[in-house]
Amino acid sequence: MLKLLLKIKIQLDYTILNTMSKVKIDKLQRLIKSLKKSEKRYFKLLMAKEGAGGQKKFVRLFDLIEKNSQADDAWIKNQEPSFKSSQLPNLKAHLYSKILQSLRMYYSSQNPEIEIRELLDSAVILYNRCLYDQCAEVLRKAKRKAQKIEALELLLDIYKWEKSVMGHTFKRGNQERVNTIVSEVQEVNNRINIINKFTNLSAKLNSIYLRVGFIRDEESYRQIKLFFRENLPDFKEEELSFREKLHLYDLQVGYCFFIQDFKQGHFYAKKWVEMIEESGEFTVTNLEMYIKGINNLMIAQYKLFFYHDFVETNKKLKSVRKIPGLDLNENILVRLYKYIYVHEFNRYFMLGDFDVGVERISRITNNLEKYVSRLDKHSQLIMYYKIACLYFGNSNYHEVIFWLNKVINTQEIDLREDVHCFARIVMLISHYELGNTDVIDYYIRATYRFLLKKDDLHNFQKYILGFMKNLTKDMTEEELILRFKNLRSQLLPLENSRYEKRAFIYFDIVSWLDCKIEKVPVQEVVKRKARVITEQPLPVLADSDEEIE
């Protein structure tokens, strides 16, 4: 018995150690796998320059992990016996640090903030060596660069060291220098303070939106409006700096979208994008905010059906990669791909080109799941829902159910409750279209329970669920058409209701009803509506040439 327990303990210890090893390797492995070819080459050149034997071990470990996606400690030691068990954890930790060091050096000339931090590090070294004049000179250089890009937090650090240096470099006019720095520090603190108030309010609003989605009723609107007004700091827009305005517009757009005021959201998103474009070099230093602004502008144009503006803004989005002096990191690339594909899908919805959209998805299927896994949970949810709706417009209901199950079965059930609610509505209609009458009653009850639990059972949902509940197998075609018409007449007035109209953002059920009444494909109905909305001919927008990698 004792031997058996000992054997179990040894096996358990081995399992724990092996699991810990995989966790540590995973961290290092993910970093190595994220590197571009040029970054890997730079790292190896840097190691070669350092030249010591220890550096060769780093390169060997680097190569082993890079070439094998399942490289755990046991496999590494088998491939390289010179790596002792006691040395390997430290070797991996140092390799991780070496890679980050090489990345900092690689991007120091391309990222102004990294460059400023390096200047600050140099200033501190000079200060500690009592080379105060040289330290002051480096600080002046760092200060000019920080002021140029409005790196406010870095400026505070620079001012701190400038005040320290002053005590060792007394000169004529020293009092004026002190007063100037104190004044500049106060101004920067004020700007940081107001930016923090903008971003704090934005983060709080976004956390509510990520849970419930668009506002649902008058009470929700009053609460959000009051919360926004009470937490919005006093300001004069014309006196705000570039960064302050940037965060103000970000806040205003998020708030306007939340309360479904897309016209006002369009106004602020347009100001946001135009301000960055007019600033010239700020486009590169604020690239993430620039493409986020373009995305928000396109969302507003999509909701308002400003199709021609949508096409022109989409050209800007796709041309981002061609901005001179730009080196896109993984974060920017993933965000850029996400926006490009989401708005490509939105274009199909606007024009009713669902067959083209489905064909597009089929071309990228192999890499789609891998790409979607790199997105945040909210973006994944939206992507799955949009893909499902594309298939719905193409009348491919089996695929609709496949993609909606990814929404419904997600563990993040409190993320975008509104999307979860409408996913169940679309799922129910898809089962109806497939003739799965045996599961209709089950899905109606399940959907009722979910909507009641989430407090999202409004007239739109009640009418649809009531319609589905009263359908019978022996209903004649004439009776069925009459039921479709009655449901349509119930839903149409809701399009003008401030809060009920949000339902049509998620699912164009009126077009589906029209297609059932007229006995034509749903995409034909949507295409006809698109032509009616605008008197101008709709330009053709080519599919994205940005392939998912």
Side-chain angles (χ1 to χ4, degrees), residues 295-359:
N295 171 61
N296 283 321
L297 181 56
M298 292 187 73
I299 289 173
Q301 290 165 344
Y302 165 60
K303 301 296 186 186
L304 299 170
F305 207 95
F306 292 168
Y307 184 77
H308 295 81
D309 292 339
F310 179 90
V311 170
E312 291 305 311
T313 309
N314 193 58
K315 291 177 182 176
K316 288 184 181 181
L317 183 64
K318 290 184 177 182
S319 66
V320 165
R321 297 190 69 178
K322 299 175 184 176
I323 296 175
L326 202 60
D327 191 357
L328 298 176
N329 59 44
E330 183 76 2
N331 174 52
I332 296 293
L333 273 176
V334 169
R335 186 177 288 244
L336 198 55
Y337 280 133
K338 177 180 74 171
Y339 293 156
I340 287 173
Y341 278 97
V342 163
H343 291 301
E344 198 165 298
F345 294 163
N346 286 342
R347 176 172 64 90
Y348 301 140
F349 292 132
M350 294 171 86
L351 302 184
D353 285 340
F354 300 112
D355 52 349
V356 180
V358 166
E359 192 275 332

Side-chain angles (χ1 to χ4, degrees), residues 19-260:
T19 302
M20 291 174 64
S21 168
K22 286 184 178 179
V23 170
K24 292 177 181 178
I25 275 290
D26 182 59
K27 175 183 171 183
L28 179 58
Q29 186 170 293
R30 287 175 63 191
L31 177 61
I32 292 174
K33 294 294 183 183
S34 73
L35 299 177
K36 294 184 286 189
K37 288 182 180 179
S38 57
E39 294 167 343
K40 293 176 184 177
R41 186 167 56 250
Y42 185 85
F43 169 75
K44 291 185 178 181
L45 286 173
L46 186 64
M47 292 296 99
K49 285 181 181 178
E50 293 187 7
Q55 315 311 324
K56 291 180 181 179
K57 281 192 173 183
F58 287 139
V59 175
R60 177 61 178 151
L61 179 58
F62 181 96
D63 289 339
L64 287 172
I65 296 175
E66 181 192 14
K67 292 172 183 176
N68 192 304
S69 59
Q70 303 298 323
D72 60 10
D73 283 6
W75 183 87
I76 291 172
K77 284 185 286 186
N78 183 55
Q79 296 294 312
E80 188 58 65
S82 65
F83 293 163
K84 296 179 180 179
S85 298
S86 59
Q87 294 176 333
L88 193 53
N90 286 335
L91 193 61
K92 289 186 293 185
H94 286 309
L95 174 58
Y96 190 88
S97 298
K98 287 286 185 182
I99 294 172
L100 291 180
Q101 179 187 349
S102 74
L103 288 173
R104 282 195 298 272
M105 295 173 67
Y106 182 81
Y107 286 105
S108 61
S109 61
Q110 302 173 37
N111 188 314
E113 290 197 0
I114 293 179
E115 189 178 3
I116 294 166
R117 289 190 188 96
E118 287 191 344
L119 287 170
L120 263 171
D121 290 342
S122 299
V124 173
I125 291 170
L126 292 169
Y127 179 89
N128 290 336
R129 290 178 175 274
C130 299
L131 300 173
Y132 303 118
D133 288 334
Q134 293 180 42
C135 176
E137 184 180 342
V138 172
L139 287 172
R140 283 194 293 272
K141 185 178 179 181
K143 185 176 177 180
R144 286 195 299 270
K145 290 180 178 293
Q147 288 173 331
K148 189 175 181 180
I149 65 170
E150 290 192 26
L152 303 179
E153 292 80 6
L154 289 174
L155 273 172
L156 282 184
D157 214 8
I158 293 168
Y159 290 138
K160 180 189 76 174
W161 284 103
E162 278 192 327
K163 285 184 283 187
S164 296
V165 169
M166 276 188 182
H168 301 280
T169 56
F170 186 84
K171 296 178 181 178
R172 183 180 299 174
N174 203 57
Q175 186 62 49
E176 288 76 9
R177 290 166 60 205
V178 170
N179 291 338
T180 299
I181 288 181
V182 169
S183 175
E184 288 176 346
V185 168
Q186 186 60 52
E187 182 184 354
V188 169
N189 271 322
N190 290 339
R191 295 198 180 283
I192 290 175
N193 184 47
I194 197 166
I195 286 173
N196 282 334
K197 288 181 178 178
F198 287 153
T199 55
N200 289 345
L201 179 53
S202 180
K204 289 178 180 178
L205 287 175
N206 191 54
S207 68
I208 301 171
Y209 173 75
L210 287 177
R211 183 171 58 84
V212 301
F214 298 110
I215 55 166
R216 303 173 178 181
D217 48 43
E218 184 65 30
E219 179 60 27
S220 299
Y221 173 68
R222 282 200 300 267
Q223 289 177 359
I224 293 300
K225 186 177 180 181
L226 179 63
F227 177 77
F228 182 76
R229 289 185 172 179
E230 287 181 345
N231 288 277
L232 188 67
D234 294 328
F235 64 89
K236 292 182 180 178
E237 187 174 334
E238 64 275 10
E239 295 179 0
L240 298 179
S241 66
F242 176 89
R243 277 192 64 192
E244 288 170 303
K245 288 180 181 177
L246 198 58
H247 291 290
L248 169 65
Y249 299 154
D250 184 18
L251 169 62
Q252 292 282 14
V253 169
Y255 171 68
C256 291
F257 284 1
F258 193 2
I259 63 172
Q260 299 180 67

Side-chain angles (χ1 to χ4, degrees), residues 458-473:
H458 299 275
N459 286 333
F460 181 92
Q461 294 95 323
K462 288 178 183 177
Y463 292 153
I464 295 173
L465 292 173
F467 166 79
M468 302 298 293
K469 188 177 180 180
N470 293 322
L471 291 177
T472 59
K473 293 181 181 180

